[in-house]
Amino acid sequence: MCEANAYMLREGKEELFMESVDVVEDEGGSLRVTSIFGEQKTVRARIRSMSLVDHKIILEE
Amino acid sequence: MCEANAYMLREGKEELFMESVDVVEDEGGSLRVTSIFGEQKTVRARIRSMSLVDHKIILEE
């Protein structure tokens, strides 16, 4: 599978936000993040970077 | 491999922007997009949505 883990960058540190992310949707200032298991979170943040080969998404508030 | 194709949303249509994307970095208003082959493009756009399971990233100017 090609899901990725999402981390929130807080004070220079990466905190795990959600594992096994499938979908990320920008809803204009907030992001809706959904895992392959159907878990869903909405957060006021932006996608700072991602590396699909490394299975890693970095979010920032 | 877990790369995805990136599409630019223009006038409601998805135009292929880059195949086999690995890394996307938000540089504050512009995105630097890099493929697994090392191809790199910078564009003034944002990530509108992505589905990693579908290997698809949608960008919007």
Side-chain angles (χ1 to χ4, degrees):
Chain A
M1 294 294 284
C2 285
E3 68 277 10
N5 289 342
Y7 299 85
M8 183 66 76
L9 196 62
R10 283 198 180 104
E11 298 174 2
K13 290 182 186 159
E14 296 173 2
E15 297 176 6
L16 183 63
F17 178 76
M18 190 186 291
E19 289 183 300
S20 302
V21 169
D22 173 15
V23 175
V24 182
E25 295 158 286
D26 187 330
E27 299 188 315
S30 65
L31 298 174
R32 184 161 55 186
V33 185
T34 308
S35 79
I36 59 168
F37 307 112
E39 185 188 2
Q40 197 168 81
K41 290 185 187 176
T42 299
V43 62
R44 292 198 67 81
R46 67 187 184 97
I47 300 165
R48 163 115 172 204
S49 65
M50 60 180 160
S51 170
L52 302 183
V53 172
D54 291 341
H55 301 266
K56 192 168 183 177
I57 301 168
I58 307 293
L59 310 178
E60 190 173 44
E61 286 177 315
Chain B
M1 294 293 284
C2 285
E3 68 277 9
N5 289 342
Y7 299 85
M8 183 67 75
L9 196 62
R10 285 200 179 101
E11 297 174 0
K13 291 182 185 158
E14 297 173 1
E15 298 176 6
L16 183 63
F17 179 75
M18 189 186 292
E19 290 183 301
S20 302
V21 169
D22 172 15
V23 175
V24 182
E25 296 158 287
D26 186 331
E27 301 189 314
S30 65
L31 297 174
R32 184 161 54 185
V33 185
T34 308
S35 78
I36 59 168
F37 307 113
E39 185 188 2
Q40 196 168 81
K41 289 185 187 177
T42 299
V43 63
R44 290 198 68 81
R46 67 188 184 98
I47 299 166
R48 162 116 172 204
S49 65
M50 60 179 158
S51 170
L52 301 183
V53 172
D54 290 342
H55 301 265
K56 193 167 183 178
I57 302 168
I58 307 294
L59 309 178
E60 191 173 44
E61 286 175 316

